Amino acid sequence: MQGFEYLQVELDEMKEKGLVRKLVPIESSAGATVKINGKEVIQLSSNNYLGLTTHPKMIKAAIQATEEFGVGTGSVRTIAGTFSMHLALEDKLAKFKHTEASLVFQSGFTCNQGVLSAILTPEDVVISDELNHASIIDGIRLTKSGRRVYKHVDMEDLERALQETQSYRKRLIVTDGVFSMDGNIAPLPEIVELAEKYDALVMVDDAHSSGVLGQNGRGSVNHFGLDGRVHIQVGTLSKAVGVLGGYIASTRTLIDYLIHKGRPFLFSTSHSPGVVAANSAAIDVLLEEPELIEKLWDNSRFLKKGLADLGFVTGPSETPITPVIVGDESLAHQLSDKLLEYGVFAQGIAFPTVARGKARIRTIVSAAHSKEQLQVALDAFEKAGKELGII
Ligand SMILES: *Cc1c(COP(=O)(O)O)cnc(C)c1O
């Protein structure tokens, strides 16, 4: 069929620069190792921080709920797609997060889109960290509010932004809790202090902190002892929690408002019973098995130290996200290819996911890895890194 030649031209250009990537089909569950091309390799690219994608209690809960309630709900939440289990999960999440209420969306992505587009008008302004996740950027694009982007974690620039925006009705500061490509933690105590000084609202996207930071994985707000001082916490159920979905934890007022105005909530079908039941079981696992989080951090320290000792540039990470920054986009993909050859699945990440010239392999360890597996991975990094002249 004719019509997309102009897109093919662009794809061909990307191919010439080594920027076209094939999707990598995985032939097993998303565990500490995965099967790719028939070969078992060590997985270092997944957000499955705690190994919960295959937790027996969660699998059992999903099967039971599916058998009793079916594979789908048949409707959006606001018409006929709210089952009692959806409400029970939201109560559980609110208690877990120490907030008045919570609301589950299809994904973390739609949470950010849904809340930002619902609560901001041209009378308001959103003040956003320059390295915030794409879903926050897209959420902002959907509003007609004022916008001010501040330099990454730069509190002086944030204060300037707050001073420059005093004429707006409401000001909302929005930040990732953990930045997804570098693994650094947002300076939330300073952000909250500035917000209180200038009477602004704060929203934290805890996608990479849910299940990772804070008591039992309650997130970055709890990690800093800021419960009750952050207006909107966005969590994901798709990463460390191991299933699918996102939620907003906040006041009853905001949640009631979003039930009426959150567009993905209103216009896209609710989660299947199996998804809801697995998410609910995951919160029990977080409460009952805190040793998983300890193991995650222990593994994280081991891999980080090993990579740094080999001479790789790993950036400012403070969390299990450990980037191996190589700069050149095609070099990142070559390193990834070599690693796969040596038994390690660690994807290269390039523009537009990170800035041009900041291409990297992003590694994430999990609680499910053994030290032996991580040592095998480090040996592969050493071999591949030397062959490519990176170390
Ligand atoms: C992954 C991610 C999201 C999206 O979460 P999903 O549940 O996968 O849609 C949102 N924000 C940040 C910072 C993320 O890293």
Side-chain angles (χ1 to χ4, degrees):
M1 201 192 293
Q2 298 292 300
F4 295 124
E5 296 77 10
Y6 72 110
L7 299 180
Q8 193 57 51
V9 168
E10 193 179 331
L11 278 172
D12 291 344
E13 282 169 13
M14 286 165 61
K15 202 172 208 166
E16 228 151 78
K17 292 184 195 145
L19 300 181
V20 168
R21 300 295 287 171
K22 283 211 182 82
L23 298 176
V24 180
I26 288 172
E27 299 147 6
S28 64
S29 66
T33 61
V34 282
K35 203 168 168 201
I36 294 173
N37 287 332
K39 185 172 131 192
E40 183 156 313
V41 292
I42 294 166
Q43 159 79 288
L44 284 182
S45 285
S46 174
N47 300 314
N48 178 27
Y49 288 95
L50 300 174
L52 298 194
T53 57
T54 52
H55 195 290
K57 278 189 193 156
M58 292 164 58
I59 293 173
K60 193 166 158 217
I63 291 171
Q64 277 179 351
T66 304
E67 280 175 352
E68 188 171 354
F69 296 98
V71 290
T73 65
S75 172
V76 300
R77 287 285 303 274
T78 48
I79 298 179
T82 296
F83 292 13
S84 49
M85 66 170 75
H86 290 101
L87 297 179
L89 174 61
E90 287 164 347
D91 281 347
K92 196 175 201 169
L93 285 168
K95 283 203 185 76
F96 180 68
K97 295 288 281 187
H98 305 150
T99 58
E100 282 175 23
S102 91
L103 195 67
V104 173
F105 282 65
Q106 291 81 5
S107 66
F109 196 105
T110 55
C111 278
N112 284 331
Q113 280 199 331
V115 70
L116 289 165
S117 62
I119 67 170
L120 295 168
T121 75
E123 284 177 80
D124 311 310
V125 63
V126 56
I127 302 173
S128 176
D129 187 289
E130 69 179 335
L131 290 191
N132 277 342
H133 190 257
S135 55
I136 293 176
I137 296 169
D138 284 13
I140 293 171
R141 284 180 181 155
L142 289 173
T143 74
K144 294 194 168 69
S145 73
R147 301 145 197 218
R148 169 73 155 79
V149 173
Y150 65 93
K151 292 200 192 91
H152 181 50
V153 301
D154 182 334
M155 293 300 100
E156 278 173 28
D157 197 30
L158 174 58
E159 182 151 23
R160 257 191 309 277
L162 286 162
Q163 284 163 349
E164 287 163 13
T165 52
Q166 312 240 21
S167 60
Y168 286 94
R169 177 184 67 172
K170 277 287 172 190
R171 291 172 297 165
L172 175 68
I173 303 168
V174 55
T175 182
D176 283 11
V178 168
F179 289 89
S180 52
M181 289 302 141
D182 287 308
N184 55 319
I185 306 175
L188 291 186
E190 289 87 345
I191 291 174
V192 166
E193 227 160 80
L194 282 172
E196 287 171 355
K197 181 171 167 193
Y198 289 93
D199 192 25
L201 303 171
V202 182
M203 167 170 159
V204 176
D205 175 356
D206 252 345
H208 281 283
S209 353
S210 307
V212 175
L213 284 179
Q215 195 191 18
N216 298 88
R218 284 179 170 83
S220 61
V221 173
N222 180 268
H223 167 76
F224 284 116
L226 295 170
D227 285 356
R229 293 171 70 191
V230 167
H231 301 80
I232 305 171
Q233 296 180 62
V234 174
T236 184
L237 301 164
S238 329
K239 289 178 175 151
V241 174
V243 194
L244 175 68
Y247 61 91
I248 291 166
S250 183
T251 66
R252 189 73 251 166
T253 302
L254 180 73
I255 298 306
D256 285 345
Y257 190 81
L258 290 175
I259 290 171
H260 297 88
K261 305 275 188 180
R263 291 174 70 83
F265 187 85
L266 291 164
F267 296 112
S268 183
T269 297
S270 59
H271 279 163
S272 301
V275 168
V276 182
N279 278 324
S280 177
I283 304 306
D284 297 339
V285 170
L286 290 178
L287 292 170
E288 289 161 9
E289 300 180 37
E291 62 276 11
L292 287 174
I293 297 177
E294 279 164 39
K295 177 97 186 294
L296 168 68
W297 283 89
D298 188 41
N299 279 347
S300 165
R301 282 186 290 270
F302 181 81
L303 188 75
K304 233 185 250 305
K305 179 168 186 311
L307 287 168
D309 287 350
L310 286 173
F312 286 106
V313 177
T314 56
S317 171
E318 305 162 81
T319 66
I321 297 173
T322 305
V324 172
I325 302 168
V326 301
D328 182 68
E329 318 203 324
S330 107
L331 187 60
H333 294 318
Q334 285 175 52
L335 177 57
S336 174
D337 290 342
K338 270 207 188 292
L339 286 168
L340 189 59
E341 204 179 300
Y342 301 147
V344 175
F345 181 45
Q347 285 268 39
I349 295 183
F351 182 82
T353 308
V354 294
R356 280 192 205 281
K358 293 268 179 79
R360 64 198 59 196
I361 303 281
R362 184 185 59 166
T363 68
I364 300 181
V365 289
S366 85
H369 287 108
S370 66
K371 288 277 159 55
E372 292 70 32
Q373 287 171 328
L374 295 179
Q375 188 56 53
V376 170
L378 285 170
D379 294 345
F381 262 99
E382 180 172 18
K383 194 164 173 218
K386 282 183 176 157
E387 283 173 12
L388 292 169
I390 298 168
I391 52 168

